[in-house]
Amino acid sequence: MTNQAKEDAELRNTAAAAKCRAEYSFPPKLSGWEFFKSIGSPKYIVAPMVDQSELAWRILSRRYKADLCYTPMFNSKLFVNDPKYRQEQWANLKDGLGGGGPNDRPLIVQFCANDPEYLLQAALMVAPYCDAVDINLGCPQHIAKRGHYGSFLMEDWPLISSLISTLHKHLPIPVTAKIRVFPEVDKTIEYAKMVVESGAQMLVVHGRLREMKGHLTGVADWTKIRAVRESVGHLVPVIANGNILYHADLAQCIKETGCAGVMSAEGNLYNPAIFTPQHPESWKLAEEYLTICDEHHTKIAYIRGHLFKIFRPSLAIHTDLRSRLGLAESQEEMWEITREMKERLIKDAEASRLSGESFQDRVDEKGFPILPHWLAQPYFRQPLPDESKKESKETSVKRPAEDHVSTNDEGTLSATTTAGDTDSNKAKKKAKKTKVVPNLCHGVDCRNTHSVTCVHQRCKGCCRTHQREIDSFTCASHPVRSLQNQETPSVDVQHEASSSVVA
C-alpha cells in the first residue's frame, strides 16, 4: 500500500469513527485491567464458537455461572457488505437491539479479518451493543487458511499489528485478541508482546499449536500460557483456554497458569453447567435450552448441533433417536425427540438404581470419572487409528507358504509367487490380481467400506448422519443438499463464513 493510500484509508477510518461517536454515546474508553474490572473481572468465560455461541446458548450459559460470553466468530468483510449475512449472524442489529440487549452483557463480539478498514467498519456497527471487539487469531481450520485469517496470520505480524492498532486507535470500545501458541516458548512470548503492544487490552491464549485440531487436538500446553501471563500479565489480563473437561479443571488451570480467568469451548458445549460443580440430567438442559429458543428465534441447525452434543452419551444407546434428530427439520420435532429421550433416560436411571448400580468413585483406565449416560459430561475425542498398525494387521493374514505379499505402485497389496516355486506350480499359479484392502467406514459399528473421496472416511449413510451430528455439511462426495441450501445462502458466503466450532 502506497503512502497516499494509507493516508486516504486513515481519513476514511477517522471519519467513520467520528460518525459512530456522534450517533451513539460511549463511556470513557478503558484499558487493560481497568477495562477488565469494569466488566466484573470475569473468571468463567464462554468461548467464541461458530454457529454455537449464539444468543440462546449464551443465555443458558449465563444461568450456569458464565461471567462473560463471546459471540460466534463473524467474517468482517461479509458483515459489512452483506445485510442478509449480518441479519442471520446478529438478528435485529439494524433495529438497534444488538444481540440480547442489556441482559446479554458483558459481551465481546469476535471478528475474523485480514483488512484493517473492513474490520473497523464491522466493529463500529456492533460497538454500541457490546463491551469489546475481539480479533480471531486462533482459528486453525482449512477455511481460515484459504481466507487468510485466524491462526494463518501468525507469520504476518505486521498485518496483525495493523488490525489491532487500527481498532485501538479508532474504535470507541476496547479491542482484545485470541491467539494460539508457537512450538517455541520464546517465539510465543514475543508474539504475545507484539499483540499487546499493538493495542490488545485483553489476551486469550489457547495453549495449542495451529496444527492441533480435530482428531489431532491433543493436550493444551498450560506452561506456555503461564509464560505469556508472566510476560504481559502486568499490562493486560491473560485468559487461559484449553484442557477444560470438568469443573475442577477450572481451578487447576488458574492455579497452574496464574491467569485472571478461564475460557471454555467444547467443555461448555457438552455441559453448559461446567462453570458449576453440577452434571445435570441432559434432558433438563435440553428442555431449558429449547424453552429459551422458543423465546428467541434460533436456527434449526444450531439447535440440532447443541442437542447432539448435550445428548451425545445417550444417543450412542438410543440410536433411533440419533437418526431422528439428524433428520428433524422443525423446533416441534426437536421437542418431541427431547421428550421421548427424557422418558427413556428416566427409565434408564430408575433401572440402574433398582439394580444397585453405583457410579460413585468409578473411574476409567485414565482416571477420569465414569458418569451415567443420562448426565451431561465431557466428550473425549478419539485419536485416529494408527495406519502403520492397521497395515501391519492387514498384511499378517495367513497365506500359503509360497505366497509373498508386496505393495504395488498404487500402494495396494498384491500377492505374487516366490522364486522357489517349481515351473509346474508357476503354471498353475498365475500372478494373482491386485487385491485392494478395503477401507472400513469410521462410523460406529459399521462394516461398510468408505469412499476414498469422503472427507470423513465414512460410507454414504454414516457420512450424512455424521455431517448432521457435527452440523457441518462439507463432504462433496456425500452432500446433504437440502440442509446445505437451507444453511448457506450462497457459495461465496459459505466459503467466507464457514469455520469449525472452536477458534
Side-chain angles (χ1 to χ4, degrees):
M1 182 182 289
T2 65
N3 289 335
Q4 184 60 49
K6 291 180 180 178
E7 292 177 5
D8 292 344
E10 181 66 17
L11 289 175
R12 290 193 297 270
N13 291 340
T14 301
K19 182 175 182 292
C20 181
R21 285 187 170 90
E23 293 177 352
Y24 303 96
S25 60
F26 294 92
K29 185 175 178 179
L30 302 177
S31 60
W33 284 99
E34 289 185 348
F35 159 66
F36 189 69
K37 292 175 182 176
S38 74
I39 58 174
S41 300
K43 186 177 180 180
Y44 300 142
I45 303 168
V46 174
M49 297 174 284
V50 173
D51 294 345
Q52 296 188 306
S53 58
E54 84 288 350
L55 173 59
W57 192 256
R58 298 197 299 268
I59 292 174
L60 179 66
S61 297
R62 292 182 196 276
R63 291 180 181 180
Y64 290 94
K65 306 302 182 183
D67 299 317
L68 168 66
C69 293
Y70 282 62
T71 66
M73 181 194 75
F74 303 145
N75 183 298
S76 59
K77 189 173 183 179
L78 286 175
F79 202 86
V80 171
N81 291 333
D82 190 338
K84 184 176 180 181
Y85 173 83
R86 189 163 61 243
Q87 173 66 12
E88 286 181 346
Q89 298 300 320
W90 196 340
N92 302 315
L93 178 64
K94 62 182 176 59
D95 299 322
L97 298 181
N103 295 324
D104 190 27
R105 307 290 284 272
L107 178 69
I108 294 181
V109 177
Q110 188 187 70
F111 288 103
C112 67
N114 55 28
D115 184 301
E117 191 168 358
Y118 270 119
L119 175 61
L120 177 62
Q121 291 179 51
L124 289 171
M125 288 182 175
V126 303
Y129 315 115
C130 62
D131 297 280
V133 168
D134 185 77
I135 301 176
N136 182 323
L137 300 175
C139 180
Q141 303 304 322
H142 185 65
I143 186 69
K145 183 177 182 179
R146 285 186 291 165
H148 191 50
Y149 61 79
S151 66
F152 295 94
L153 299 182
M154 289 176 71
E155 287 75 30
D156 196 344
W157 290 19
L159 175 56
I160 289 176
S161 181
S162 178
L163 291 169
I164 297 172
S165 61
T166 297
L167 292 196
H168 181 55
K169 180 176 182 179
H170 295 289
L171 195 65
I173 60 176
V175 56
T176 67
K178 185 172 186 289
I179 66 172
R180 285 195 172 219
V181 299
F182 284 93
E184 306 84 7
V185 175
D186 291 344
K187 189 172 183 180
T188 299
I189 291 173
E190 291 306 309
Y191 180 47
K193 287 181 177 178
M194 179 275 295
V195 170
V196 171
E197 289 170 359
S198 299
Q201 302 306 311
M202 186 172 78
L203 186 63
V204 177
V205 183
H206 188 162
R208 291 185 171 93
L209 307 177
R210 178 171 60 202
E211 296 76 21
M212 297 172 71
K213 57 185 177 179
H215 288 281
L216 302 177
T217 295
V219 178
D221 190 341
W222 284 355
T223 62
K224 288 180 182 176
I225 298 177
R226 184 178 184 86
V228 170
R229 196 273 305 166
E230 291 174 343
S231 299
V232 302
H234 62 291
L235 300 173
V236 300
V238 177
I239 307 300
N241 181 209
N243 296 354
I244 306 301
L245 297 172
Y246 298 94
H247 178 73
D249 296 331
L250 298 165
Q252 188 64 26
C253 180
I254 290 177
K255 178 181 178 181
E256 293 192 23
T257 64
C259 287
V262 183
M263 175 178 284
S264 174
E266 278 198 346
N268 165 261
L269 288 178
Y270 289 94
N271 178 15
I274 193 171
F275 298 128
T276 74
Q278 307 175 55
H279 287 278
E281 288 90 344
S282 56
W283 57 265
K284 287 184 178 179
L285 292 171
E287 286 187 332
E288 190 171 3
Y289 173 64
L290 287 173
T291 300
I292 296 171
C293 293
D294 287 342
E295 300 171 358
H296 301 274
H297 174 69
T298 306
K299 294 176 72 172
I300 292 300
Y302 299 174
I303 298 175
R304 183 189 299 110
H306 283 303
L307 293 185
F308 265 119
K309 291 177 177 62
I310 292 174
F311 285 136
R312 187 198 61 81
S314 302
L315 290 173
I317 297 172
H318 302 284
T319 56
D320 59 315
L321 294 184
R322 180 176 62 187
S323 300
R324 284 175 55 190
L325 181 57
L327 297 172
E329 298 290 347
S330 69
Q331 206 154 313
E332 291 73 20
E333 290 179 273
M334 302 292 183
W335 267 112
E336 290 175 6
I337 294 167
T338 297
R339 292 189 186 101
E340 186 165 343
M341 180 67 83
K342 173 183 177 180
E343 293 178 3
R344 296 189 190 186
L345 296 185
I346 290 175
K347 291 179 180 178
D348 290 348
E350 180 63 13
S352 175
R353 186 187 67 81
L354 293 175
S355 69
E357 185 178 22
S358 173
F359 290 89
Q360 186 174 0
D361 299 326
R362 286 180 61 182
V363 296
D364 62 16
E365 65 278 3
K366 295 183 179 180
F368 292 112
I370 296 177
L371 299 173
H373 66 268
W374 52 86
L375 298 185
Q377 55 194 273
Y379 168 56
F380 295 89
R381 183 179 279 106
Q382 299 300 314
L384 289 173
D386 189 328
E387 292 298 325
S388 62
K389 292 182 179 179
K390 179 180 177 182
E391 181 177 346
S392 174
K393 182 178 179 180
E394 288 166 345
T395 57
S396 66
V397 178
K398 290 184 178 180
R399 297 177 181 273
E402 67 273 12
D403 286 352
H404 174 70
V405 179
S406 61
T407 304
N408 62 22
D409 293 338
E410 288 74 35
T412 56
L413 299 181
S414 60
T416 58
T417 57
T418 65
D421 284 338
T422 62
D423 291 340
S424 59
N425 284 339
K426 287 182 179 180
K428 294 178 181 178
K429 297 181 180 180
K430 296 181 180 179
K432 296 182 180 179
K433 293 182 179 179
T434 296
K435 180 180 180 181
V436 179
V437 178
N439 298 309
L440 290 180
C441 171
H442 285 197
V444 179
D445 297 328
C446 181
R447 305 303 297 173
N448 294 328
T449 57
H450 71 70
S451 166
V452 294
T453 58
C454 176
V455 298
H456 301 297
Q457 295 182 300
R458 285 167 163 78
C459 65
K460 181 168 69 173
C462 289
C463 178
R464 289 178 173 174
T465 299
H466 179 68
Q467 290 182 74
R468 292 186 176 97
E469 289 179 357
I470 64 173
D471 194 25
S472 177
F473 309 102
T474 56
C475 183
S477 298
H478 303 131
V480 187
R481 291 188 176 87
S482 61
L483 293 177
Q484 287 176 326
N485 295 336
Q486 172 186 330
E487 299 306 326
T488 53
S490 69
V491 172
D492 291 338
V493 171
Q494 182 185 28
H495 175 81
E496 294 287 344
S498 295
S499 177
S500 87
V501 71
V502 183

mmCIF file with all atom_site columns, all heavy atoms in Angstrom, residues 4 111-112 122 196 290 307 318 370 472 481:
data_model
loop_
_atom_site.group_PDB
_atom_site.id
_atom_site.type_symbol
_atom_site.label_atom_id
_atom_site.label_alt_id
_atom_site.label_comp_id
_atom_site.label_asym_id
_atom_site.label_entity_id
_atom_site.label_seq_id
_atom_site.pdbx_PDB_ins_code
_atom_site.Cartn_x
_atom_site.Cartn_y
_atom_site.Cartn_z
_atom_site.occupancy
_atom_site.B_iso_or_equiv
_atom_site.pdbx_formal_charge
_atom_site.auth_seq_id
_atom_site.auth_comp_id
_atom_site.auth_asym_id
_atom_site.auth_atom_id
_atom_site.pdbx_PDB_model_num
ATOM 1  N N   . GLN A 1 4   ? 0.115   7.349   -0.003 1.00 0.00 ? 4   GLN A N   1
ATOM 2  C CA  . GLN A 1 4   ? -1.121  8.075   -0.275 1.00 0.00 ? 4   GLN A CA  1
ATOM 3  C C   . GLN A 1 4   ? -2.335  7.211   0.043  1.00 0.00 ? 4   GLN A C   1
ATOM 4  O O   . GLN A 1 4   ? -3.316  7.693   0.621  1.00 0.00 ? 4   GLN A O   1
ATOM 5  C CB  . GLN A 1 4   ? -1.160  8.503   -1.752 1.00 0.00 ? 4   GLN A CB  1
ATOM 6  C CG  . GLN A 1 4   ? -2.377  9.350   -2.119 1.00 0.00 ? 4   GLN A CG  1
ATOM 7  C CD  . GLN A 1 4   ? -2.444  10.639  -1.328 1.00 0.00 ? 4   GLN A CD  1
ATOM 8  O OE1 . GLN A 1 4   ? -1.446  11.356  -1.236 1.00 0.00 ? 4   GLN A OE1 1
ATOM 9  N NE2 . GLN A 1 4   ? -3.605  10.934  -0.736 1.00 0.00 ? 4   GLN A NE2 1
ATOM 10 N N   . PHE A 1 111 ? -14.506 -11.015 15.466 1.00 0.00 ? 111 PHE A N   1
ATOM 11 C CA  . PHE A 1 111 ? -14.433 -10.982 14.009 1.00 0.00 ? 111 PHE A CA  1
ATOM 12 C C   . PHE A 1 111 ? -13.144 -11.661 13.547 1.00 0.00 ? 111 PHE A C   1
ATOM 13 O O   . PHE A 1 111 ? -12.115 -11.615 14.232 1.00 0.00 ? 111 PHE A O   1
ATOM 14 C CB  . PHE A 1 111 ? -14.412 -9.543  13.481 1.00 0.00 ? 111 PHE A CB  1
ATOM 15 C CG  . PHE A 1 111 ? -15.725 -8.824  13.589 1.00 0.00 ? 111 PHE A CG  1
ATOM 16 C CD1 . PHE A 1 111 ? -15.931 -7.886  14.595 1.00 0.00 ? 111 PHE A CD1 1
ATOM 17 C CD2 . PHE A 1 111 ? -16.749 -9.078  12.692 1.00 0.00 ? 111 PHE A CD2 1
ATOM 18 C CE1 . PHE A 1 111 ? -17.134 -7.210  14.703 1.00 0.00 ? 111 PHE A CE1 1
ATOM 19 C CE2 . PHE A 1 111 ? -17.968 -8.413  12.793 1.00 0.00 ? 111 PHE A CE2 1
ATOM 20 C CZ  . PHE A 1 111 ? -18.162 -7.483  13.798 1.00 0.00 ? 111 PHE A CZ  1
ATOM 21 N N   . CYS A 1 112 ? -13.221 -12.280 12.367 1.00 0.00 ? 112 CYS A N   1
ATOM 22 C CA  . CYS A 1 112 ? -12.011 -12.661 11.660 1.00 0.00 ? 112 CYS A CA  1
ATOM 23 C C   . CYS A 1 112 ? -11.806 -11.628 10.563 1.00 0.00 ? 112 CYS A C   1
ATOM 24 O O   . CYS A 1 112 ? -12.771 -11.080 10.028 1.00 0.00 ? 112 CYS A O   1
ATOM 25 C CB  . CYS A 1 112 ? -12.114 -14.069 11.080 1.00 0.00 ? 112 CYS A CB  1
ATOM 26 S SG  . CYS A 1 112 ? -13.330 -14.257 9.742  1.00 0.00 ? 112 CYS A SG  1
ATOM 27 N N   . ALA A 1 122 ? -16.854 -3.062  10.435 1.00 0.00 ? 122 ALA A N   1
ATOM 28 C CA  . ALA A 1 122 ? -17.689 -4.068  11.096 1.00 0.00 ? 122 ALA A CA  1
ATOM 29 C C   . ALA A 1 122 ? -17.741 -3.814  12.594 1.00 0.00 ? 122 ALA A C   1
ATOM 30 O O   . ALA A 1 122 ? -18.810 -3.902  13.222 1.00 0.00 ? 122 ALA A O   1
ATOM 31 C CB  . ALA A 1 122 ? -17.138 -5.470  10.811 1.00 0.00 ? 122 ALA A CB  1
ATOM 32 N N   . VAL A 1 196 ? -0.020  -7.300  22.362 1.00 0.00 ? 196 VAL A N   1
ATOM 33 C CA  . VAL A 1 196 ? -0.366  -6.351  23.427 1.00 0.00 ? 196 VAL A CA  1
ATOM 34 C C   . VAL A 1 196 ? 0.146   -4.951  23.090 1.00 0.00 ? 196 VAL A C   1
ATOM 35 O O   . VAL A 1 196 ? -0.564  -3.950  23.265 1.00 0.00 ? 196 VAL A O   1
ATOM 36 C CB  . VAL A 1 196 ? 0.198   -6.838  24.774 1.00 0.00 ? 196 VAL A CB  1
ATOM 37 C CG1 . VAL A 1 196 ? 0.040   -5.760  25.843 1.00 0.00 ? 196 VAL A CG1 1
ATOM 38 C CG2 . VAL A 1 196 ? -0.506  -8.115  25.203 1.00 0.00 ? 196 VAL A CG2 1
ATOM 39 N N   . LEU A 1 290 ? -34.282 -25.448 24.846 1.00 0.00 ? 290 LEU A N   1
ATOM 40 C CA  . LEU A 1 290 ? -35.376 -25.322 23.880 1.00 0.00 ? 290 LEU A CA  1
ATOM 41 C C   . LEU A 1 290 ? -36.382 -24.273 24.311 1.00 0.00 ? 290 LEU A C   1
ATOM 42 O O   . LEU A 1 290 ? -36.971 -23.570 23.471 1.00 0.00 ? 290 LEU A O   1
ATOM 43 C CB  . LEU A 1 290 ? -36.066 -26.677 23.692 1.00 0.00 ? 290 LEU A CB  1
ATOM 44 C CG  . LEU A 1 290 ? -35.284 -27.725 22.896 1.00 0.00 ? 290 LEU A CG  1
ATOM 45 C CD1 . LEU A 1 290 ? -35.995 -29.066 22.931 1.00 0.00 ? 290 LEU A CD1 1
ATOM 46 C CD2 . LEU A 1 290 ? -35.094 -27.271 21.460 1.00 0.00 ? 290 LEU A CD2 1
ATOM 47 N N   . LEU A 1 307 ? -28.216 -30.114 20.597 1.00 0.00 ? 307 LEU A N   1
ATOM 48 C CA  . LEU A 1 307 ? -28.847 -31.312 21.158 1.00 0.00 ? 307 LEU A CA  1
ATOM 49 C C   . LEU A 1 307 ? -27.988 -32.548 20.925 1.00 0.00 ? 307 LEU A C   1
ATOM 50 O O   . LEU A 1 307 ? -27.920 -33.446 21.774 1.00 0.00 ? 307 LEU A O   1
ATOM 51 C CB  . LEU A 1 307 ? -30.243 -31.497 20.555 1.00 0.00 ? 307 LEU A CB  1
ATOM 52 C CG  . LEU A 1 307 ? -31.283 -30.438 20.939 1.00 0.00 ? 307 LEU A CG  1
ATOM 53 C CD1 . LEU A 1 307 ? -32.652 -30.821 20.381 1.00 0.00 ? 307 LEU A CD1 1
ATOM 54 C CD2 . LEU A 1 307 ? -31.371 -30.264 22.452 1.00 0.00 ? 307 LEU A CD2 1
ATOM 55 N N   . HIS A 1 318 ? -29.483 -44.947 22.485 1.00 0.00 ? 318 HIS A N   1
ATOM 56 C CA  . HIS A 1 318 ? -30.797 -44.803 21.829 1.00 0.00 ? 318 HIS A CA  1
ATOM 57 C C   . HIS A 1 318 ? -30.567 -44.300 20.400 1.00 0.00 ? 318 HIS A C   1
ATOM 58 O O   . HIS A 1 318 ? -30.860 -43.145 20.069 1.00 0.00 ? 318 HIS A O   1
ATOM 59 C CB  . HIS A 1 318 ? -31.674 -43.858 22.639 1.00 0.00 ? 318 HIS A CB  1
ATOM 60 C CG  . HIS A 1 318 ? -31.893 -44.312 24.057 1.00 0.00 ? 318 HIS A CG  1
ATOM 61 N ND1 . HIS A 1 318 ? -32.774 -45.335 24.367 1.00 0.00 ? 318 HIS A ND1 1
ATOM 62 C CD2 . HIS A 1 318 ? -31.340 -43.913 25.232 1.00 0.00 ? 318 HIS A CD2 1
ATOM 63 C CE1 . HIS A 1 318 ? -32.760 -45.532 25.686 1.00 0.00 ? 318 HIS A CE1 1
ATOM 64 N NE2 . HIS A 1 318 ? -31.900 -44.682 26.223 1.00 0.00 ? 318 HIS A NE2 1
ATOM 65 N N   . ILE A 1 370 ? -16.325 -41.966 35.634 1.00 0.00 ? 370 ILE A N   1
ATOM 66 C CA  . ILE A 1 370 ? -17.313 -42.630 34.781 1.00 0.00 ? 370 ILE A CA  1
ATOM 67 C C   . ILE A 1 370 ? -18.686 -42.169 35.239 1.00 0.00 ? 370 ILE A C   1
ATOM 68 O O   . ILE A 1 370 ? -19.082 -42.376 36.387 1.00 0.00 ? 370 ILE A O   1
ATOM 69 C CB  . ILE A 1 370 ? -17.201 -44.156 34.872 1.00 0.00 ? 370 ILE A CB  1
ATOM 70 C CG1 . ILE A 1 370 ? -15.851 -44.627 34.335 1.00 0.00 ? 370 ILE A CG1 1
ATOM 71 C CG2 . ILE A 1 370 ? -18.345 -44.834 34.113 1.00 0.00 ? 370 ILE A CG2 1
ATOM 72 C CD1 . ILE A 1 370 ? -15.626 -46.117 34.457 1.00 0.00 ? 370 ILE A CD1 1
ATOM 73 N N   . SER A 1 472 ? -22.003 -29.696 10.057 1.00 0.00 ? 472 SER A N   1
ATOM 74 C CA  . SER A 1 472 ? -21.093 -29.155 9.059  1.00 0.00 ? 472 SER A CA  1
ATOM 75 C C   . SER A 1 472 ? -21.217 -29.998 7.805  1.00 0.00 ? 472 SER A C   1
ATOM 76 O O   . SER A 1 472 ? -20.917 -31.182 7.816  1.00 0.00 ? 472 SER A O   1
ATOM 77 C CB  . SER A 1 472 ? -19.655 -29.190 9.591  1.00 0.00 ? 472 SER A CB  1
ATOM 78 O OG  . SER A 1 472 ? -18.764 -28.723 8.598  1.00 0.00 ? 472 SER A OG  1
ATOM 79 N N   . ARG A 1 481 ? -27.912 -31.982 0.433  1.00 0.00 ? 481 ARG A N   1
ATOM 80 C CA  . ARG A 1 481 ? -28.216 -30.760 -0.310 1.00 0.00 ? 481 ARG A CA  1
ATOM 81 C C   . ARG A 1 481 ? -29.294 -29.909 0.336  1.00 0.00 ? 481 ARG A C   1
ATOM 82 O O   . ARG A 1 481 ? -29.221 -28.690 0.349  1.00 0.00 ? 481 ARG A O   1
ATOM 83 C CB  . ARG A 1 481 ? -28.616 -31.109 -1.741 1.00 0.00 ? 481 ARG A CB  1
ATOM 84 C CG  . ARG A 1 481 ? -27.453 -31.658 -2.567 1.00 0.00 ? 481 ARG A CG  1
ATOM 85 C CD  . ARG A 1 481 ? -27.820 -31.802 -4.022 1.00 0.00 ? 481 ARG A CD  1
ATOM 86 N NE  . ARG A 1 481 ? -26.684 -32.247 -4.820 1.00 0.00 ? 481 ARG A NE  1
ATOM 87 C CZ  . ARG A 1 481 ? -26.352 -33.495 -5.016 1.00 0.00 ? 481 ARG A CZ  1
ATOM 88 N NH1 . ARG A 1 481 ? -27.089 -34.455 -4.462 1.00 0.00 ? 481 ARG A NH1 1
ATOM 89 N NH2 . ARG A 1 481 ? -25.306 -33.817 -5.738 1.00 0.00 ? 481 ARG A NH2 1
#
